[in-house]
């Protein structure tokens, strides 16, 4: 069981470039999430997906798009990167059984936009 | 406005003592409150969840309380060890998992 995997681990972009962050989970979870983490601000929800084929905006969706490709994969796209999007991005998945909404996080992608 | 705060950015305690971390929130109605541990350069790891109708939850050396009247959760680590040094995050869960709100975290250092 790999849990939640994210690629890439690090990325440097120039302003205006685009990129897609990939996330996959092998725990058969329905819900998946994308967060960004900035110093002093905690984790902020960008988008979430309650199930395959559905996505909803979180607290800070502007400048991002997402795709829930199938139950395993949830990708985050930056169409035109801006320096304000420099951050650490985490993907997570969660269960509704056991301890409901316990989230499992990936290792993160450290993104720098210059 | 809605806000979630954790008592301090950093907390230093001596090995063997009990660490107490605080999470306060305003203008939220969470059904659940969670605590996570985050080590540098890694993703958060789930520790405990407490429901709105529960007053206290324990797991090994960890204890969480939840007071919905005070809008506060306390997180205790008893007999703390240097290996407990990490950042601890509280998170509110609303709308059946459709909305997670994380606090900024408290960085705990347990000194030998």
């Amino acid at each position: 069981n790999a849990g939640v995997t994210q690629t890439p681990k690090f990325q440097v972009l120039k302003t205006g470039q685009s990129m897609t962050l990939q996330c996959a989970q092998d725990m058969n979870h329905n819900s998946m999430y994308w967060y960004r983490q900035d110093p002093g601000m905690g984790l902020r929800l960008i988008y979430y997906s309650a199930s395959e084929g559905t996505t909803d905006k979180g607290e800070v969706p502007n400048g991002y798009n997402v795709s829930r490709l199938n139950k395993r994969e949830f990708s985050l796209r930056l169409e035109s990167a801006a320096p304000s999007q420099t951050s650490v991005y985490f993907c997570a998945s969660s269960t509704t059984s056991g301890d409901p909404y316990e989230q499992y996080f990936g290792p993160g992608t450290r993104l720098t936009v210059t | 406005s809605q806000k979630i705060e954790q008592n301090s950015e950093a907390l230093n305690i001596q090995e063997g003592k009990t660490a107490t971390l605080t999470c306060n929130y305003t203008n939220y109605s969470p059904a659940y409150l969670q605590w996570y541990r985050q080590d540098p350069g890694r993703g958060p790891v789930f520790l405990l969840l407490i429901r709105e109708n529960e007053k206290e939850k324990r797991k090994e050396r960890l204890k969480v309380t939840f007071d919905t009247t005070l809008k506060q959760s306390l997180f205790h680590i008893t007999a703390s060890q240097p290996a407990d040094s990490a950042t601890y995050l509280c998170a509110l869960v609303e709308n059946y998992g459709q909305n997670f709100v994380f606090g900024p975290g408290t960085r705990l250092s347990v000194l030998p």
Side-chain angles (χ1 to χ4, degrees):
Chain A
N1 256 2
V4 179
T5 57
Q6 291 182 239
T7 55
K9 284 189 167 42
F10 301 93
Q11 184 71 47
V12 179
L13 291 178
K14 291 190 184 340
T15 297
Q17 287 185 318
S18 62
M19 79 162 295
T20 300
L21 282 65
Q22 307 285 357
C23 173
Q25 53 95 6
D26 61 2
M27 295 172 283
N28 202 35
H29 289 164
N30 284 322
S31 300
M32 297 186 73
Y33 308 82
W34 275 106
Y35 292 90
R36 59 178 290 173
Q37 187 173 37
D38 302 293
M41 301 204 62
L43 286 154
R44 290 182 293 168
L45 184 63
I46 305 171
Y47 271 94
Y48 77 94
S49 171
S51 61
E52 184 180 348
T54 68
T55 60
D56 281 284
K57 295 178 181 178
E59 180 187 352
V60 289
N62 290 346
Y64 306 96
N65 284 304
V66 290
S67 295
R68 182 76 182 266
L69 304 166
N70 47 54
K71 193 170 187 179
R72 288 188 64 247
E73 297 171 291
F74 189 35
S75 62
L76 178 72
R77 183 158 178 86
L78 286 70
E79 290 292 351
S80 178
S84 60
Q85 294 179 304
T86 293
S87 188
V88 182
Y89 291 85
F90 288 101
C91 176
S93 69
S94 78
T95 175
T96 53
S97 61
D99 266 334
Y101 315 118
E102 171 184 346
Q103 291 192 78
Y104 294 79
F105 284 83
T109 294
R110 205 167 285 273
L111 175 67
T112 302
V113 183
T114 61
Chain B
S1 64
Q2 296 177 314
K3 202 162 37 168
I4 177 169
E5 295 175 319
Q6 294 189 239
N7 55 326
S8 55
E9 235 182 82
L11 182 65
N12 295 332
I13 63 163
Q14 213 62 42
E15 183 176 5
K17 301 289 188 190
T18 295
T20 298
L21 285 63
T22 306
C23 178
N24 293 294
Y25 60 93
T26 55
N27 295 326
Y28 288 108
S29 300
Y32 307 90
L33 190 142
Q34 302 177 330
W35 284 87
Y36 290 80
R37 169 186 173 135
Q38 187 173 23
D39 291 289
R42 304 179 79 102
V45 175
F46 173 82
L47 295 174
L48 277 171
L49 171 147
I50 187 164
R51 292 170 168 77
E52 60 179 337
N53 60 352
E54 295 177 315
K55 295 287 185 204
E56 184 180 296
K57 198 88 168 274
R58 290 175 187 261
K59 181 179 175 182
E60 297 171 357
R61 294 185 297 111
L62 308 179
K63 184 177 91 172
V64 173
T65 63
F66 191 14
D67 189 326
T68 54
T69 303
L70 289 179
K71 296 187 182 298
Q72 180 182 79
S73 174
L74 299 179
F75 177 76
H76 307 273
I77 307 175
T78 58
S80 59
Q81 305 163 0
D84 295 325
S85 297
T87 296
Y88 291 86
L89 309 171
C90 66
L92 308 179
V93 185
E94 292 188 304
N95 295 336
Y96 303 101
Q98 293 182 17
N99 188 26
F100 281 82
V101 182
F102 280 82
T106 295
R107 191 171 65 252
L108 174 68
S109 297
V110 181
L111 309 171

